[in-house]
Structure formats: C-alpha cells, structure tokens
Amino acid sequence: MSKILIIGAGGQLGQCLKTVAERRGISDIVFPTENEGNILEAELLNALLEREKPAYVINCAAYTAVDKAEDEVELSKAVNETGAGYLASACKANQAILVHVSTDFVFEGKEVKLLNEDDVAKPINVYGVTKLGGEQAVASILDEHFILRTSWLYSEYANNFVKTMLKLGAERDELGIIADQVGTPTYAIDLANAIFDIIASGKKSYGVYHYSNEGVTSWYDFAKAIFDISETAVKVNPIPGSAYPTKAQRPAFSVMDKSKIKNEFNLDIPYWRTSLVACISKINNK
C-alpha cells in the first residue's frame, strides 16, 4: 500500500487507524504528534508532507465538542475549516490525496429520509457549519480528495457515548435518554477499515461519500443496547429532546444512504449492533 500520513493521530479515529493498520500489516504509515502535524500551522503541515512524501493523507483532526462550539466559534472554525484548508493546500503542493472525515451534522435533519451525498447540506449548529466549511475548503483547493461523512462515532478509545453510558450505568440506577433523535452509530474501527479499503482500491473516484454502520436507531435504543450487551442493570427512560436542552441543536433524523460508497468500493458494512457487541467486548477485555 502507498505511504499514508495521519493528521490528528492522537484522537479516537487516529487510534483506531493505528490499531487497524497493525492488524492489516500496513507498515508504511506515519502517525505524527500534534506538535509535528498541527492542523492550525500551514507551514508546519507543508514541511511535514515535504519530508514524509505520503501518497495519502487522512485528516482525523477536528473540533468535535458540539455544545462548546456554540461558545468557541472561532476555535471550531479554525480547526474544522481553516485547518482543513491548510491541509488541502499542503496536499496539493506535495501531490498527496486527502481523505477528509466529516459528519452527518452538516444536515438539518428535519425530514425523515435517507440522506444521500447530493442532498442539500444545511447545518443547524456551529459544529455542523464549520465542518461543512471544511468540506468546502477541501473541495475548492484540492481535486484529489475523498470526503467521508460519518455519524455517532464510538470505539474503545477516547471519550464517546458508549463509554459514557457504561460509566453512568455503573454509577446510577436510572437514566433518561433522548428518544426523538434518530441516526446510526458507527464503530470507528469499521470506519478505519473502510478508509484503508478505499486507499487499497487505488480508485480515483474522488468526491463526497457517506459511511456509517448499517441500520437505524435512536439515542435511547442505542443506550438500551449498550446496557443489554454489557449486562448492566440500569433502568432507561425515553425522553424527548426538549426535556434535555443542549446549547447546540441536533438533527432529529440523520440516517445516511451508503449506496454510493458500497457500490464504488465494494464495501460490506456491518450492522450497528453487531459492531457494538465487538466494541463492548474490547472494552471489557482492556
């Protein structure tokens, strides 16, 4: 496989890419520290790519604190939009292909329909606005790009919904979980495998693609599954989003159509609950 460089290697997806690279025997891959590959430093990024000469760059660096982004607008914009543009420019100058990770939060989510790549993006929070800005920056600067929108990312690494639920379930007897926001959980290990499959294909079918696990669920049903699979005894009550107000508004329905990525790269995407079982097993064995 061609040489690969990971930006944002210390985050959840970066750690999953490292794990999957080791499993698949991918050795020509570089995981720079944040100081070596800071998304906010254009000259540093360019120097890194000049030195390493990767064929592919995977951008996992992102500001993902959805509620905090409402107050930290400039920082969110700097990381998700400006930084993505810096990286795209460095890729263009060094003839590298960019795999840029985005989000289902670029959609408004008011209509109950499978979202495809051609649907109009209309984000309803700062995080979504800045991630869409990052997509637009990448597309305007660099033709050789894959933008992968994903959703509800979790794994055995870093902080995420699954690990939070397991922690709360061990501490409390009862929880209220939002039941009127619907989407698809995505195991970051599966996303990492998909990214490597795209690179291994050697295809130049650049553009925007949707990737999440298969299936549909609410946060309430996701939490219920986490507790059922982990055999955690906690009562879970479904509540409306209005009962748990957050600073940032979330899409009510953000289930993405994966037909394009499945057809183009012949991907077999796991069902969300199957992957959740695998993840919880990993967490329990840590």
Side-chain angles (χ1 to χ4, degrees):
M1 191 178 280
S2 305
K3 187 172 187 179
I4 303 166
L5 186 145
I6 313 293
I7 299 296
Q12 174 172 227
L13 182 56
Q15 292 179 72
C16 288
L17 285 162
K18 188 170 188 177
T19 295
V20 172
E22 289 169 357
R23 289 180 190 170
R24 293 173 66 145
I26 299 169
S27 56
D28 202 3
I29 187 165
V30 182
F31 296 90
T33 64
E34 188 175 342
N35 288 336
E36 293 170 323
N38 192 321
I39 194 77
L40 299 179
E41 297 187 30
E43 290 183 9
L44 190 70
L45 290 173
N46 197 53
L48 176 64
L49 266 68
E50 278 186 1
R51 184 173 71 251
E52 296 293 346
K53 297 179 172 55
Y56 289 84
V57 176
I58 304 171
N59 183 26
C60 308
Y63 182 107
T64 58
V66 178
D67 290 314
K68 282 181 70 176
E70 298 296 312
D71 295 320
E72 297 183 342
V73 178
E74 292 307 313
L75 180 57
S76 181
K77 182 181 173 69
V79 175
N80 292 340
E81 187 173 333
T82 308
Y86 288 160
L87 187 56
S89 295
C91 286
K92 185 172 185 177
N94 293 279
Q95 294 81 53
I97 298 164
L98 178 60
V99 179
H100 176 73
V101 180
S102 192
T103 174
D104 60 325
F105 274 34
V106 299
F107 293 109
E108 184 178 32
K110 287 187 176 179
E111 189 179 354
V112 179
K113 68 179 286 288
L114 290 181
L115 296 160
N116 65 48
E117 291 81 356
D118 296 326
D119 284 325
V120 175
K122 190 179 178 184
I124 55 175
N125 56 46
V126 169
Y127 167 68
V129 168
T130 60
K131 288 298 289 182
L132 180 59
E135 290 185 12
Q136 293 167 339
V138 167
S140 67
I141 293 166
L142 181 70
D143 291 336
E144 297 81 6
H145 68 265
F146 297 99
I147 292 170
L148 303 185
R149 292 176 180 152
T150 192
S151 62
W152 299 22
L153 212 59
Y154 71 91
S155 71
E156 54 267 36
Y157 302 107
N159 295 317
N160 55 68
F161 185 76
V162 172
K163 291 172 78 173
T164 298
M165 287 299 104
L166 290 172
K167 180 176 183 293
L168 291 176
E171 296 170 349
R172 302 183 190 178
D173 298 322
E174 193 169 349
L175 291 168
I177 305 294
I178 292 170
D180 57 359
Q181 290 172 12
V182 174
T184 308
T186 306
Y187 187 23
I189 291 287
D190 292 337
L191 175 58
N193 269 307
I195 290 171
F196 286 132
D197 286 343
I198 289 168
I199 292 172
S201 77
K203 287 191 172 186
K204 309 300 182 187
S205 310
Y206 304 124
V208 178
Y209 291 88
H210 289 172
Y211 184 92
S212 69
N213 281 127
E214 294 284 26
V216 179
T217 193
S218 67
W219 289 111
Y220 165 76
D221 288 303
F222 188 21
K224 281 283 290 179
I226 292 164
F227 297 133
D228 290 346
I229 292 163
S230 63
E231 298 181 343
T232 302
V234 58
K235 184 181 180 185
V236 186
N237 300 309
I239 62 172
S242 58
Y244 188 77
T246 54
K247 188 154 278 190
Q249 192 179 353
R250 266 77 166 171
F253 190 92
S254 60
V255 182
M256 297 185 294
D257 185 340
K258 276 84 68 175
S259 301
K260 181 181 176 183
I261 199 167
K262 286 192 289 187
N263 294 336
E264 186 62 39
F265 299 103
N266 195 30
L267 296 185
D268 184 16
I269 302 178
Y271 177 57
W272 71 267
R273 190 174 173 116
T274 304
S275 291
L276 179 60
V277 170
C279 178
I280 289 175
S281 176
K282 290 289 184 185
I283 292 170
N284 288 340
N285 290 331
K286 269 197 164 187

